[in-house]
Amino acid sequence: MKIDRKKIVNRCGYDQNECMFLAKRLSECPDEALIPELKKITVWNYGKCELGLWADVLDRLDAILERAVTKVGRWMLRLDTPAEAPLVDDVVTILEFTGHLIEHSIYRYLYGSWTHILALFGSENMDILLAVLGLSYNFSKRSNYFIRLDPYNKKMVLDRLTWGGAENNFGLAACCDPNHFPETAGNIYFEYRPVKPETSDQPVDTDSSRVSRDPTAPDIAQDDGGWSAHAAPWSTNNKIVMHALHKRNQSPSQIMEELLAQHAVPLSKQMALFARVRLATYFADPGQRHKCIRARLQALSILSYTFDVDERHLYPNLLDELVEVLELPDGQYMGIKACALRTMTAIVNSHRLGVE
């Protein structure tokens, strides 16, 4: 959604000249030159300003984000399709630039692209997710946006934190070790209460090649390389059990497409399911796993600043796990250690876990 210009005010006490010149120059850039110009802005040296000055630029970026999050199936976003690979780099650039802008602006409530930002939580690309969380972190520290989220979108952000915890052999420091692979790491077990056909929030599947599960059909089970589903009446919970997702030659979005074609998972549960599918698929890849760990730490920082959460997310041993991460050797773990330090600071500053 584009910026509502009726809400723009002009009461800034800062010198905005540099920002005004930059905003004007970017707004006049041709489409093919806009993203390359944004990539040049890696450090913000333009002072503080009103967000309304950037309305024309942000509206153009909103159009790119809208195209990126268009669904090409039940779940998959356009930017996750192989044909749109260049769009990923453009979106990451937009999110990083917007993060700079939010950090150095006032009247942040004017930002109108949050519908697209929330949709990007459903991307299978970890660089996209990290950029989304980076922007969300700036908002969580400098505005009350997340506090005002509706319950569904709050839950969607919380569902990003689907991990097993140290007691299930998923401790943060242990997971940084590429040789550490818990036996359940590639599996998912998910329960849901199916949506009735007349109230289903799923689109009707017109592809005859897909097999829809009849809720009255017998249970189906396959070996560890596949999936098992336990059909049940609409009034009881159904189960999705999948094994060794990291061995399947499919992306998380492709797996999610199959699951939604076979299971009437409610809209409110789909992000939680996808978060588990994404983690189980990527856990065997050390590079992707490190990005998953950084994403979890970023999300914990946002939670600490913003949400009222329970011990499932900020559990008593979390600080001990963060200390263990900080004790890891330098080198490949520097990015994770920086995120851990930021998370620890957020927890302490927000007085979570009884820390005074």
Side-chain angles (χ1 to χ4, degrees), residues 29-89:
C29 277
D31 291 342
E32 64 275 9
L34 179 58
I35 298 299
E37 285 296 319
L38 295 183
K39 288 181 179 179
K40 297 177 183 178
I41 305 173
T42 57
V43 178
W44 192 264
N45 296 315
Y46 305 97
K48 207 171 183 70
C49 65
E50 296 179 23
L51 192 63
L53 286 178
W54 298 88
D56 292 338
V57 176
L58 289 174
D59 284 352
R60 293 178 66 183
L61 301 183
D62 181 86
I64 299 174
L65 293 176
E66 183 177 12
R67 178 172 177 270
V69 301
T70 302
K71 287 192 175 182
V72 294
R74 293 171 180 264
W75 183 266
M76 186 175 291
L77 305 180
R78 182 183 296 276
L79 84 167
D80 287 331
T81 60
E84 297 288 351
L87 192 55
V88 171
D89 190 44

Side-chain angles (χ1 to χ4, degrees), residues 224-235:
D224 287 351
W227 54 270
S228 65
H230 303 274
W234 297 114
S235 59

Side-chain angles (χ1 to χ4, degrees), residues 21-287:
F21 291 141
L22 178 61
K24 181 175 176 57
R25 179 166 64 83
L26 292 176
S27 66
E28 295 174 349
C29 277
D31 291 342
E32 64 275 9
L34 179 58
I35 298 299
E37 285 296 319
L38 295 183
K39 288 181 179 179
K40 297 177 183 178
I41 305 173
T42 57
V43 178
W44 192 264
N45 296 315
Y46 305 97
K48 207 171 183 70
C49 65
E50 296 179 23
L51 192 63
L53 286 178
W54 298 88
D56 292 338
V57 176
L58 289 174
D59 284 352
R60 293 178 66 183
L61 301 183
D62 181 86
I64 299 174
L65 293 176
E66 183 177 12
R67 178 172 177 270
V69 301
T70 302
K71 287 192 175 182
V72 294
R74 293 171 180 264
W75 183 266
M76 186 175 291
L77 305 180
R78 182 183 296 276
L79 84 167
D80 287 331
T81 60
E84 297 288 351
L87 192 55
V88 171
D89 190 44
D90 292 350
V91 171
V92 170
T93 299
I94 290 171
L95 295 174
E96 291 176 347
F97 169 78
T98 306
H100 287 306
L101 200 55
I102 294 302
E103 186 174 359
H104 298 91
S105 66
I106 60 175
Y107 306 130
R108 301 179 185 93
Y109 64 85
L110 291 171
Y111 188 67
S113 298
W114 264 108
T115 302
H116 306 325
I117 301 301
L118 291 172
L120 287 171
F121 273 94
S123 172
E124 67 181 38
N125 188 287
M126 291 305 301
D127 292 324
I128 291 288
L129 183 60
L130 286 170
V132 169
L133 288 167
L135 175 59
S136 301
Y137 177 77
N138 280 332
F139 265 97
S140 69
K141 286 188 66 176
R142 295 172 174 85
S143 77
N144 63 351
Y145 176 82
F146 284 108
I147 296 175
R148 295 183 287 108
L149 276 178
D150 60 89
Y152 167 72
N153 283 318
K154 276 187 180 180
K155 186 176 184 302
M156 187 174 72
V157 178
L158 288 171
D159 286 341
R160 177 62 198 88
L161 300 176
T162 306
W163 280 65
E167 69 279 4
N168 292 323
N169 213 17
F170 281 89
L172 285 168
C175 288
C176 291
D177 181 0
N179 297 318
H180 177 75
F181 194 85
E183 61 180 17
T184 60
N187 307 337
I188 63 169
Y189 179 90
F190 190 82
E191 289 191 5
Y192 68 95
R193 179 162 294 182
V195 179
K196 293 183 180 180
E198 63 271 20
T199 59
S200 174
D201 44 31
Q202 295 291 335
V204 177
D205 188 8
T206 58
D207 187 349
S208 59
S209 65
R210 293 175 179 167
V211 179
S212 298
R213 290 280 294 141
D214 182 348
T216 62
D219 292 353
I220 294 178
Q222 293 189 4
D223 59 21
D224 287 351
W227 54 270
S228 65
H230 303 274
W234 297 114
S235 59
T236 61
N237 287 345
N238 277 8
K239 301 173 185 176
I240 297 175
V241 181
M242 301 185 72
H243 300 278
L245 265 66
H246 58 290
K247 295 181 179 179
R248 297 166 65 107
N249 189 26
Q250 289 179 295
S251 70
S253 293
Q254 290 172 334
I255 295 173
M256 192 68 178
E257 289 284 336
E258 288 188 4
L259 289 175
L260 294 183
Q262 298 161 353
H263 300 273
V265 181
L267 185 63
S268 61
K269 297 286 187 180
Q270 290 179 11
M271 182 58 68
L273 173 59
F274 180 69
R276 299 184 190 189
V277 169
R278 180 170 50 195
L279 180 61
T281 304
Y282 288 152
F283 204 84
D285 184 317

